[in-house]
Coordinates of all heavy atoms in Angstrom, one line a residue:
T1471 N 31.2 53.6 -13.3 CA 30.0 53.8 -14.2 C 29.3 55.0 -13.7 O 29.5 55.6 -12.6 CB 29.1 52.6 -14.2 OG1 28.4 52.6 -12.9 CG2 29.8 51.3 -14.4
S1472 N 28.3 55.5 -14.5 CA 27.5 56.6 -14.1 C 26.2 56.1 -13.4 O 25.4 57.0 -13.0 CB 27.1 57.4 -15.4 OG 28.2 57.9 -16.0
G1473 N 26.1 54.8 -13.3 CA 24.9 54.3 -12.5 C 24.7 52.8 -13.0 O 25.3 52.3 -13.9
E1474 N 23.8 52.2 -12.3 CA 23.5 50.8 -12.6 C 23.0 50.6 -14.0 O 22.2 51.4 -14.4 CB 22.5 50.2 -11.6 CG 23.1 50.1 -10.2 CD 22.2 49.3 -9.2 OE1 21.4 48.5 -9.7 OE2 22.3 49.5 -8.0
G1475 N 23.6 49.7 -14.7 CA 23.2 49.4 -16.1 C 24.0 50.2 -17.1 O 23.9 50.0 -18.3
W1476 N 24.9 51.1 -16.7 CA 25.7 51.9 -17.6 C 27.0 51.2 -17.8 O 27.5 50.5 -17.0 CB 26.0 53.3 -16.9 CG 24.9 54.2 -16.9 CD1 23.8 54.2 -16.0 CD2 24.6 55.3 -17.8 NE1 22.9 55.2 -16.3 CE2 23.4 55.9 -17.4 CE3 25.2 55.8 -18.9 CZ2 22.8 56.9 -18.0 CZ3 24.7 56.9 -19.5 CH2 23.5 57.4 -19.1
T1477 N 27.6 51.4 -19.0 CA 28.9 50.9 -19.4 C 30.0 51.6 -18.7 O 29.9 52.9 -18.6 CB 29.1 51.0 -20.9 OG1 28.1 50.3 -21.6 CG2 30.5 50.4 -21.3
P1478 N 31.0 51.0 -18.1 CA 32.1 51.7 -17.4 C 32.8 52.7 -18.3 O 33.0 52.4 -19.5 CB 33.0 50.5 -17.0 CG 32.2 49.3 -16.9 CD 31.2 49.5 -18.0
F1479 N 33.1 53.8 -17.8 CA 33.9 54.9 -18.5 C 35.3 54.9 -18.1 O 36.2 55.5 -18.7 CB 33.2 56.3 -18.3 CG 33.1 56.7 -16.9 CD1 34.2 57.4 -16.3 CD2 31.9 56.6 -16.2 CE1 34.1 57.8 -15.0 CE2 31.8 57.0 -14.9 CZ 32.9 57.6 -14.3
C1480 N 35.7 54.2 -17.0 CA 37.1 54.1 -16.5 C 37.2 52.9 -15.7 O 36.2 52.3 -15.3 CB 37.4 55.3 -15.6 SG 38.0 56.8 -16.5
G1481 N 38.4 52.5 -15.3 CA 38.7 51.3 -14.5 C 39.3 51.7 -13.2 O 39.7 52.9 -13.0
G1482 N 39.5 50.7 -12.3 CA 40.1 50.9 -11.1 C 40.5 49.6 -10.5 O 40.2 48.5 -11.1
S1483 N 41.1 49.6 -9.3 CA 41.5 48.4 -8.6 C 41.1 48.5 -7.2 O 41.2 49.5 -6.5 CB 43.0 48.3 -8.7 OG 43.5 48.0 -10.0
I1484 N 40.6 47.3 -6.7 CA 40.3 47.2 -5.3 C 41.6 47.2 -4.5 O 42.5 46.4 -4.7 CB 39.5 45.9 -5.0 CG1 38.2 45.9 -5.8 CG2 39.3 45.7 -3.5 CD1 37.5 44.5 -5.8
I1485 N 41.7 48.1 -3.5 CA 42.9 48.1 -2.6 C 42.5 47.8 -1.2 O 43.4 47.5 -0.4 CB 43.8 49.4 -2.7 CG1 43.0 50.6 -2.4 CG2 44.3 49.5 -4.1 CD1 43.8 51.9 -2.4
S1486 N 41.3 47.9 -0.8 CA 40.8 47.4 0.5 C 39.3 47.2 0.3 O 38.7 47.5 -0.7 CB 41.1 48.4 1.6 OG 40.2 49.5 1.6
E1487 N 38.6 46.8 1.4 CA 37.2 46.6 1.4 C 36.4 47.8 1.0 O 35.3 47.7 0.4 CB 36.7 46.0 2.7 CG 37.2 44.7 3.0 CD 36.9 44.3 4.5 OE1 36.8 45.2 5.3 OE2 36.8 43.1 4.7
T1488 N 36.9 49.0 1.3 CA 36.2 50.2 1.0 C 37.0 51.2 0.2 O 36.5 52.4 0.1 CB 35.8 50.9 2.4 OG1 37.0 51.1 3.1 CG2 34.8 50.1 3.2

Side-chain angles (χ1 to χ4, degrees):
T1471 72
S1472 297
E1474 291 190 26
W1476 288 79
T1477 301
F1479 59 84
C1480 274
S1483 294
I1484 299 169
I1485 58 173
S1486 78
E1487 294 170 330
T1488 56

